[in-house]
Every structure is written in C-alpha cells, then in structure tokens.
Amino acid sequence: MINSIRSVAAVAFHSSVRRADNDNSTMKTIACINAVSVSPYAELALADGVSAVDRVKQYTEALPGLERVLVFVAQGAPAELPETWEAVAREAWTAQELLGELTRVGREYGDEDTLLLHYFIDAPFLDLGISRRMLENHRRYFAEYTFADGFPDAVAPTILNHDMPERLLTLVKPEDDPADWELLFTVLRRDINAFEVETELANQDYRGLRLHLRCDCRRNYLLCRALYGAGARDEQSLLRLVQERAELLRTVPAYSSVQVVREVVQPVLYDPFRLVSDPRLGPVEVQDRSNEAGGTDELELAPEKFSEYLDMLASFSGDAVVEISHWGEAGRHSRLHELVSAAVARPSISLIVRTGGVGWPNGMLERVAECADESVRLVIELDANEPELYRTIRGEGFAEAQRFTERALELFGSRCHIQAVRTDLNEEPLEDYYRSWKTRTENVIIQKYDDCAGRLTPRKVVDLSPIKRYPCWHLKRDLVILLDGSVPVCKQDLDLEHRLGNVFEDGIESVWADADRFYRAHLSEDYPSICRSCDEYYTFNF
C-alpha cells in the first residue's frame, strides 16, 4: 500500500534549484493521469449519476497552475474525456513504458517551474486541499518527490519535478506493475536516499484501516459508493465518516477459506481440526482409496460444488483470494488438480493451496502445477528444519515434506511459500529456519500461534495484540466454508455454535449479511462469547 511504513530521506536544499521566494504564481502543473488498467466500476455512478471518472475530471480541472492533461490509456479506458486532454494510448503498458512516457512529458513540456502530478482516473476522493498543501510544501522545501502519508490510499497525487521520471526510469524492474497505486514509491525506495522527498502527513494514521479508495474492483467500488452516499466529498467529510461510520467499511469478502477434504495426515499440535466435535465434519485418518475411481462426498468436496461456490464468490465479491483446505490436508483430495483448474478458469479468483507436503499421491503435485497459472500459490507448512523438532510439532513425515518442498520450489518458483508457526517449541531455532529458507526463496512466512480462543495449549511466545482492541478483520473480510457448505461465523467457531447458514442452500449474500451483526457488535465493543478470548482479530489475510 502507498501509505505503508516508509523511511524518508531528509530534505536538503539543491543548489541547482532556483525559485523566487517559493512564489507559487509561477508554478505550472501537468496532470499525468494513469488509466492503463480501468475497471468498468470507474464509470458506474456513486450517487446522483456521478462516477469516479467524473470526480477525477472535476478535480483535475481545478488544479492550480494547470498547463496540460495527459491520460495514459489502454483498452477499456474511459471513452469520453475532455477535448483538451491528451490521450497517450498503448494496447498494453509496462512500468518501464509508463515511466518512459512520464520522462518524455517532463522533457518536452517541463522546466524548473513545472511539476508533474501522477494519479489514477478511478480515484473519486482526490482532494484539492491536500494537493494544494503538498504543492506548497514541495516548493517550500525544494523537494523532488512529494506524497501523502498516513491517509487512506488515493486521496492525493504523487508530485514529481519534471526531471524525476527520467531518474526513476533507471530503477524500474520488469515485475513492476504500471497499474499499481504505489508504483512510483516502489521504484523510488530502491534508492530513496538519492532523492529529496517530502511528505504530507495525515492528522492521524489511517493506514491500519487498509482503505483503498479507487473504483478498480467491485469491493472498492462498493466502499467508495458507501462513503460517497453518506456524504464524503472532501478531506474533512471523508476522514470523519471513516472514523464515525465504520460499518460502511465492511463490503464483501476478500478472502475465503474452504474445506475441501476431511483427511488428515499428521497430528499437528496447533491444528484445531482435531477438536471438532461434529462427526460429519471432524477429521478422519488417511483412507485407502485404491479401489475407488475418485473421492466420496463424505471425504471431499466435489469439483462441481467447488466451482459452484467460486461462481457465487466471483459474482458477489468481484475478486477474492480462496484458500484450500480450511481443515484437512489439501493433497489428499483425489481431484485436487480439478479444483485448481476451476479456480484458474475464473480470472478474478486467486488460489492458495495450503499443505504440509505429506501424503500426496504420486504425480499429483505435477498435475496441479500443469493446471496452475500465476494466480495459484502454494503454502507449505514445515515449522522446523530439525527432524526431532519437526516430529514434536507435526509428527512423522520430515523427509517426505523436505522432498515435496524441493520439488514444489522447482515447479512453482516464486509462487511457493514456506511457512512456520511461531511457538514456544520452535522459537529458539526459528531465526536459523528463516535464514536458511531465505537463501532459497524470498517467500518465507512466520505466522503467529493461534490457540483457538483458549481451546489449544497456550504456546504463544509474545503478545502482539494492540493496546486498544478494534473490530475483527476476519469478520470484516473473511468467509469460511465447510465441506457440506455450512458457514461458521469465523475459523474459531469449531462447533458451529454460531452457524450463519449453508452457502449452497441459503446463498452467499445471506450468510455474509448474517455475519454483519457480529461485526456491528464489535463496533460497539460488545464482543460475543466466542470473541472475548480470541486474539486473532488483529491478524490479516488479504
């Protein structure tokens, strides 16, 4: 996120910069509007027929010192733009091409009194007040690059001197995303001390809310529409509503954990699945399926039912991350490759396959890799590099898990993540574990221990919970689906004490709406019994 924690270089004066008493009357601004990837939601009405694109037009025309407007467009960009705006079109953009065009703009149209403002065409809450303060400070402190820090995303532009894009161009990498809100800062921080950077700080830190105020997907469009409909128009009204009307911030699920199989392979000491009392959902040991053509409804979710759920989720949320398996070993699903294919066939869905890497049938990992694309990731839970410690935490299977991981790294590369849960058992060797896997991959995850609201043995090493409690992220963004379609209120609801319904019988909208009462209770600091002893509320998935 653009307003993540950043170390910013100290502001210093450049002897080459000459401006008379920071006189803003000579200031010239060029609006560089990023429309390289535009969702249809950008042109849907927020209220009263006004869309995000309409709001950006109004904002742009009111910018001080506006000299010209350039819009970097691709397929799907808004068709109707003011006649005075110049469209720079490509069939598709890379980050290098975008910085290259910004460099051209700076060279052709810029001088020492010209500033480039980069922002996105789907950001309806761009604020002139914040922008003016940023422009004034950019001049006053002889900055080269100015951004807003601590605000929700997309309420202010990035300001650059006319020659800055050319310098940033040397730092661009092929994997950079030209449609990413924080693209310019991602590039800048690779050599941040080489630049004079200035920030506009919010009156309080809103980063923890993770608000992305762009109409770039259905979830964010619904958020913007809710805030706009409630009266958000400028900095003051927006930030007031964010604080006072937190119920508006819960829109649709961003993450869904789905149980696709009941079989367990290892007696993992932190796995709450063994505490499940419902015989229909509780774990079963590995079954002999040698005489079966496929799985059974009692043991696994059929690919057809999984596809049905993915269609519901994609329609309701627009995009989402789906993780399998909520309980049970994903590798034991007899048609796991078909589940992967079902997710790949739905472009708005990203899939995570979570596994211990033990108990997979021969050839299944290769079949999964053949079906997978860039939207599919593998998370392998290892927890320890020492066989004895591994056995203590996870049971038998150390050598098999190591072989599986080696093969998975070959097949999935950067889409393979190595995970350990931090406990009092592996705390001492955890740093060596982290360092050793970091030599193999950048994707090493250290996850906090979850005692499942006190039902598991306490093994937490350190308490990282906030001083003041806030509403649960999982109630706000997550949806858990069990094998038969039952929906618990969250992953801690092991016995379905707070069952929201059945997604296949009641529909996704109904079960999601039913969870809203729990979220609103949290807003009132009225925590249901299942929540009082839980410290997972501050953890975050996607």
Side-chain angles (χ1 to χ4, degrees), residues 53-204:
V53 173
D54 294 329
R55 292 275 296 172
V56 172
K57 291 177 184 177
Q58 296 166 7
Y59 165 85
T60 301
E61 297 295 345
L63 284 170
L66 186 64
E67 290 275 311
R68 80 177 54 235
V69 181
L70 297 102
V71 188
F72 305 108
V73 301
Q75 291 180 345
E80 295 185 9
L81 296 174
E83 293 182 1
T84 56
W85 292 16
E86 177 185 343
V88 182
R90 290 181 185 270
E91 185 173 340
W93 288 83
T94 65
Q96 186 171 26
E97 289 170 338
L98 181 62
L99 265 295
E101 282 297 330
L102 288 173
T103 297
R104 178 189 67 81
V105 171
R107 284 175 179 171
E108 292 186 9
Y109 308 126
D111 56 34
E112 65 176 16
D113 291 316
T114 302
L115 299 178
L116 309 183
L117 277 65
H118 177 263
Y119 51 93
F120 286 75
I121 202 164
D122 52 11
F125 296 112
L126 288 163
D127 183 77
L128 278 170
I130 300 173
S131 302
R132 288 194 180 101
R133 297 199 302 269
M134 291 171 63
L135 287 165
E136 290 170 2
N137 288 335
H138 189 95
R139 293 279 178 166
R140 178 177 297 116
Y141 299 115
F142 299 90
E144 298 174 304
Y145 181 105
T146 298
F147 68 98
D149 197 16
F151 291 91
D153 284 353
V155 300
T158 297
I159 302 174
L160 307 94
N161 284 358
H162 76 98
D163 58 347
M164 268 294 286
E166 186 170 6
R167 299 169 65 192
L168 293 177
L169 185 58
T170 64
L171 302 174
V172 174
K173 293 185 178 181
E175 63 268 24
D176 292 334
D177 181 1
D180 185 359
W181 174 254
E182 64 173 350
L183 166 68
L184 295 183
F185 190 81
T186 297
V187 176
L188 174 84
R189 64 186 171 193
R190 291 175 183 144
D191 193 14
I192 192 170
N193 291 320
F195 306 100
E196 310 303 339
V197 180
E198 179 60 30
T199 61
E200 173 67 22
L201 295 175
N203 59 356
Q204 69 179 64

Side-chain angles (χ1 to χ4, degrees), residues 344-366:
V344 169
R346 292 156 176 83
S348 64
I349 298 295
S350 297
L351 183 70
I352 295 175
V353 179
R354 184 177 298 277
T355 177
V358 177
W360 285 54
N362 290 335
M364 179 58 79
L365 181 60
E366 286 73 15

Side-chain angles (χ1 to χ4, degrees), residues 308-343:
E308 181 182 345
Y309 174 64
L310 293 182
D311 285 337
M312 279 191 244
L313 183 62
S315 175
F316 185 53
S317 291
D319 65 334
V321 177
V322 174
E323 179 182 291
I324 56 176
S325 176
H326 173 62
W327 290 328
E329 169 52 59
R332 293 303 302 167
H333 196 291
S334 65
R335 298 161 69 187
L336 179 59
H337 57 292
E338 294 185 36
L339 303 185
V340 172
S341 293

